[in-house]
Amino acid sequence: MKQSLIKKDISSFKIPPNLENYEKIRKSFSWEKAKSQIEYKNNKLNAAYNAIERNAQNWRKNKIALYWIGAENQKEKYTFSELNQLTSKFANLLGKLSVDQGDRVFFFLTRVPALYFGFLGTLKSGAIAGTMFAAFGPQAVEDRLGNSQAKILVTEPDLFERVAKVANKLPYLKTILVTGDPKETAHLKIHGKQVINLFELLNKQTAKYKTKQMDPKDYAFMLYTSGTTGKPKGVLHAHQAIIHEHMSAKYVLDLREDDVYWCTADPGWVTGIAYEILGSWSNGASTVVHNGRFSPDIWYKIIQDYKVTVWYTAPTAIRMLEAAGDQLVAKYDLSSLRHLASVGEPLNPEPIRWGIKAFGMPFHDNWWQTETGGILIANYPAMDIKPGSMGKPLPGITASVIDDQGKEVGTNIEGNLAIKPGWPSMMKTIWRRPQKYKTYFKGGWYISGDKAFRDKDGYFWFIGRADDVIKTSGERVGPFEVESALVEHPSVIEAGVIGKPDPIRGEIIKAFIKLKEGVKGTDKLKEEIQQFIKRHLAAHAYPREIEFIDRLPKTRSGKIMRRYLKAKELGLPLGDTSTLEEY
Ligand code: ATP
Ligand code: MG
């Protein structure tokens, strides 16, 4: 489908973007120079020092770092200095619990302030912080704590039961710290484990702490991938990741001193760590955190009340906001917004155009992975957008498309999206799976596992996960382009497309479609949608089968789980579903 270019006119920007001239900065950029923006002491650094402590010592100390909104609309504020003190107390607390460098400290929390200061406090101490999404069930918790051999777990009263169920299968887990009022947590016990109230212990610590300066390659945090394609992998990141996260937050999210920034991702996933804690605070932006469920009304109210300027969210949320209607947007004053970005899944052109209509500006798609530790390919504020494209590589990043033999392919040719290794936030290993780690590298490239092509202007286009590309009647079809075309149809909200084995065609395309509210899923509509795709995309790319469904299966980070649709369709084992949203 032909999409028109979204032109950017720098002269219309109130303030020039941080990355004013992509080509120029790209040419002169080096990671060595970028290091000068990060504080090193004798070639050592600490990611948490750069994200929080440095700001608590400079002019930002009394500036609000965190605006926190609770599930019941409670409101709290923390300055950089206050937050830093809490991180120091937490680091001291870990010392009391005999946590050593490299020990794993895990967080199983909703987005409460303890998650933020606890994470940074762990980094300060030289231990490895790990996070888990609060909606995980006992099995998912056991898998992650078991694999990581975590020594300490921080959780909250409402989640305690799920931990208690599996704790006896976790021999390495020594101590469980529980948030909440000490009086109300006193009864919580697990045989053979130390259970302590977090705040009771925290309040006994001093806010004086000498942050450990680490080797750049020392591990800082670990995160399990989203499990979209299979069993989640425990990805290890080093302290030096902060260099990349700082620069990318600056160039892609365009963060500045005076921004009120809202990243809607959960710190259970990499986006919530890299750009809600590390790169965003290292740039000195004030961060908004909402510890509640998605609700279009509440979201718009947050933007209005906190005067959010930069908003980083995900395609699934954008599509849901769009489904909630334009009238709702009009009820709020969202004029503070100046830059919108999206990550996690391909962003279809349609929601980009809707963003312009609803907010007066487009969402800027960017691509990266848990393994990459930071944004690698992006649409920048000052660069024209080709809707449906992921944009261009970040300065300092060499991206390419290679064939299965590791040879670079020409423009407009589909292949494996690959990156030259060596950027600072590249994963250091996959925890206890060194062989798996090795499979990512081939012929001097990091192979992402995604299929893409590059056009003549250097823009990268996502086709689909390597496993999801459909081979039908000798043609290769990416699910993304079919899904994008489907959501252009006025009755369609979301679509997930799979290849279904077929004796004649190899595979046929099957689309699972969620319709707009009030629209009836008739055979006539199926036919109409099929014709629509034939007309707008290509005759061979139309879904021969369509099934209307109420909800698409998604990971808890909001990604369509195509492998689940496929397994169900074919009656195959469902595989690891620990990250599947209730469905
Ligand atoms: P798993 O590796 O466990 O299967 P996952 O790949 O979904 O899960 P993440 O690391 O959270 O885990 O997600 C990275 C993947 O998300 C990318 O490889 C890509 O497939 C997809 N993705 C992220 N951002 C974009 C984007 N802007 N456009 C297209 N795809 C994206
Ligand atoms: Mg992946």
Side-chain angles (χ1 to χ4, degrees):
M1 251 177 195
K2 193 104 190 79
Q3 302 290 342
S4 48
L5 191 72
I6 299 170
K7 286 288 248 182
K8 296 294 188 64
D9 174 10
I10 299 246
S11 64
S12 70
F13 282 62
K14 280 195 212 107
I15 359 168
N18 290 332
L19 189 73
E20 199 173 341
N21 185 329
Y22 173 79
E23 297 301 342
K24 199 169 137 202
I25 292 193
R26 189 172 169 76
K27 271 200 197 98
S28 61
F29 185 90
S30 80
W31 286 113
E32 208 41 48
K33 270 197 276 177
K35 276 165 78 175
S36 66
Q37 306 216 4
I38 294 300
E39 205 160 307
Y40 274 82
K41 291 185 171 137
N42 303 323
N43 283 328
K44 295 198 167 208
L45 84 167
N46 187 299
Y49 177 85
N50 281 280
I52 192 84
E53 192 168 342
R54 181 154 80 147
N55 291 319
Q57 292 167 357
N58 64 23
W59 70 96
R60 292 181 183 132
K61 65 172 180 252
N62 295 323
K63 180 184 165 168
I64 303 296
L66 174 63
Y67 289 104
W68 183 79
I69 308 149
E72 266 90 51
N73 205 25
Q74 317 90 300
K75 293 187 174 108
E76 292 176 14
K77 283 184 214 174
Y78 299 81
T79 63
F80 277 103
S81 168
E82 287 164 343
L83 205 56
N84 184 49
Q85 288 179 25
L86 288 163
T87 64
S88 288
K89 286 185 174 185
F90 192 85
N92 277 322
L93 170 155
L94 292 181
K96 293 277 158 31
L97 296 174
S98 311
V99 172
D100 292 324
Q101 177 176 337
D103 282 347
R104 275 77 62 211
V105 176
F106 263 66
F107 296 86
F108 182 41
L109 291 171
T110 58
R111 291 175 222 184
V112 288
L115 174 55
Y116 298 83
F117 68 72
F119 181 89
L120 288 167
T122 305
L123 266 54
K124 275 186 165 183
S125 78
I128 301 171
T131 53
M132 293 184 292
F133 190 47
F136 280 158
Q139 186 63 51
V141 171
E142 183 194 329
D143 287 350
R144 286 157 183 76
L145 295 179
N147 176 260
S148 63
Q149 300 178 328
K151 187 171 181 180
I152 309 283
L153 176 70
V154 186
T155 190
E156 56 194 63
D158 285 350
L159 304 178
F160 188 81
E161 196 46 46
R162 288 183 231 166
V163 178
K165 270 198 179 130
V166 295
N168 67 358
K169 290 186 237 165
L170 300 167
Y172 292 89
L173 186 62
K174 260 184 64 188
T175 307
I176 297 152
L177 296 160
V178 195
T179 61
D181 184 336
K183 284 200 280 304
E184 282 158 29
T185 62
H187 68 287
L188 298 175
K189 291 195 170 60
I190 298 175
H191 179 70
K193 309 284 177 202
Q194 189 180 30
V195 179
I196 311 175
N197 182 279
L198 169 72
F199 295 109
E200 203 164 47
L201 195 56
L202 194 74
N203 290 337
K204 291 183 188 146
Q205 312 303 318
T206 75
K208 256 199 149 82
Y209 185 76
K210 198 163 170 339
T211 296
K212 299 260 168 32
Q213 293 300 326
M214 311 293 289
D215 279 336
K217 291 194 166 51
D218 279 341
Y219 300 151
F221 57 96
M222 70 181 290
L223 292 164
Y224 287 86
T225 55
S226 295
T228 316
T229 57
K231 193 174 172 56
K233 299 158 284 256
V235 172
L236 261 291
H237 284 291
H239 279 268
Q240 67 178 21
I242 189 74
I243 308 166
H244 187 108
E245 287 153 357
H246 180 83
M247 292 313 296
S248 47
K250 184 174 240 158
Y251 286 158
V252 182
L253 304 174
D254 201 33
L255 290 182
R256 326 248 177 87
E257 187 67 39
D258 53 358
D259 275 316
V260 178
Y261 162 71
W262 187 23
C263 170
T264 63
D266 190 281
W269 316 111
V270 70
T271 308
I273 299 297
Y275 299 107
E276 199 174 316
I277 298 182
L278 295 172
S280 35
W281 274 331
S282 74
N283 276 283
S286 299
T287 286
V288 176
V289 167
H290 174 226
N291 189 23
R293 282 187 165 272
F294 171 81
S295 140
D297 259 307
I298 296 174
W299 276 35
Y300 293 142
K301 195 161 161 26
I302 289 173
I303 295 172
Q304 171 181 275
D305 292 355
Y306 288 86
K307 297 195 172 30
V308 171
T309 54
V310 178
W311 182 23
Y312 191 21
T313 189
T316 179
I318 302 168
R319 291 189 295 255
M320 284 196 276
L321 291 172
E322 181 175 359
D326 295 0
Q327 282 97 329
L328 192 66
V329 186
K331 272 175 54 187
Y332 296 90
D333 175 4
L334 308 179
S335 58
S336 55
L337 289 172
R338 70 168 183 84
H339 183 54
L340 316 180
S342 165
V343 73
E345 274 200 299
L347 183 62
N348 320 102
E350 206 283 329
I352 299 182
R353 289 197 305 273
W354 175 73
I356 299 179
K357 194 161 89 171
F359 309 112
M361 65 198 85
F363 284 95
H364 294 72
D365 186 24
N366 54 73
W367 175 92
W368 57 295
Q369 308 176 295
T370 310
E371 295 90 331
T372 71
I375 299 168
L376 296 191
I377 299 179
N379 288 284
Y380 307 92
M383 188 189 278
D384 295 344
I385 296 179
K386 295 192 184 189
S389 156
M390 307 188 283
K392 294 189 184 185
L394 192 82
I397 294 298
T398 306
S400 191
V401 179
I402 61 171
D403 64 18
D404 290 342
Q405 281 67 49
K407 241 180 84 207
E408 287 187 75
V409 300
T411 52
N412 296 329
I413 296 177
E414 175 194 318
N416 303 300
L417 178 58
I419 315 289
K420 270 270 160 267
W423 70 95
S425 65
M426 191 178 91
M427 65 169 162
K428 290 285 159 286
T429 189
I430 303 274
W431 192 248
R432 297 171 66 201
R433 290 178 73 187
Q435 289 308 324
K436 176 78 200 168
Y437 174 74
K438 279 195 192 139
T439 63
Y440 282 87
F441 302 92
K442 201 169 160 188
W445 291 98
Y446 164 86
I447 320 280
S448 68
D450 288 341
K451 295 275 181 188
F453 68 89
R454 176 170 38 187
D455 72 13
K456 64 175 183 4
D457 302 318
Y459 283 78
F460 282 77
W461 298 76
F462 180 81
I463 292 172
R465 313 278 190 145
D467 304 343
D468 291 340
V469 173
I470 302 160
K471 286 136 239 154
T472 181
S473 306
E475 303 280 348
R476 293 171 66 80
V477 177
F480 174 52
E481 63 172 350
V482 184
E483 289 162 9
S484 286
L486 285 166
V487 297
E488 298 279 336
H489 188 281
S491 300
V492 176
I493 291 194
E494 278 192 316
V497 163
I498 61 163
K500 181 175 169 182
D502 179 85
I504 298 163
R505 297 185 171 82
E507 282 182 313
I508 58 156
I509 300 173
K510 170 152 188 178
F512 296 84
I513 290 177
K514 177 177 151 82
L515 292 171
K516 284 220 167 103
E517 220 169 280
V519 177
K520 274 224 157 61
T522 59
D523 284 346
K524 192 161 163 277
L525 181 59
K526 282 186 189 170
E527 172 101 0
E528 187 192 308
I529 293 173
Q530 287 169 329
Q531 291 307 326
F532 181 84
I533 302 299
K534 281 188 189 170
R535 253 196 334 273
H536 291 283
L537 185 61
H540 72 273
Y542 88 95
R544 279 177 191 269
E545 273 187 34
I546 289 181
E547 185 175 328
F548 297 120
I549 53 175
D550 296 337
R551 275 178 77 190
L552 286 166
K554 287 186 185 163
T555 64
R556 293 191 181 277
S557 50
K559 297 162 193 266
I560 299 172
M561 235 193 214
R562 293 176 192 80
R563 72 170 161 99
Y564 185 87
L565 285 170
K566 196 158 179 168
K568 273 230 137 157
E569 180 70 29
L570 306 181
L572 296 172
L574 299 177
D576 185 301
T577 52
S578 63
T579 62
L580 184 72
E581 218 176 44
E582 266 122 63
Y583 182 63

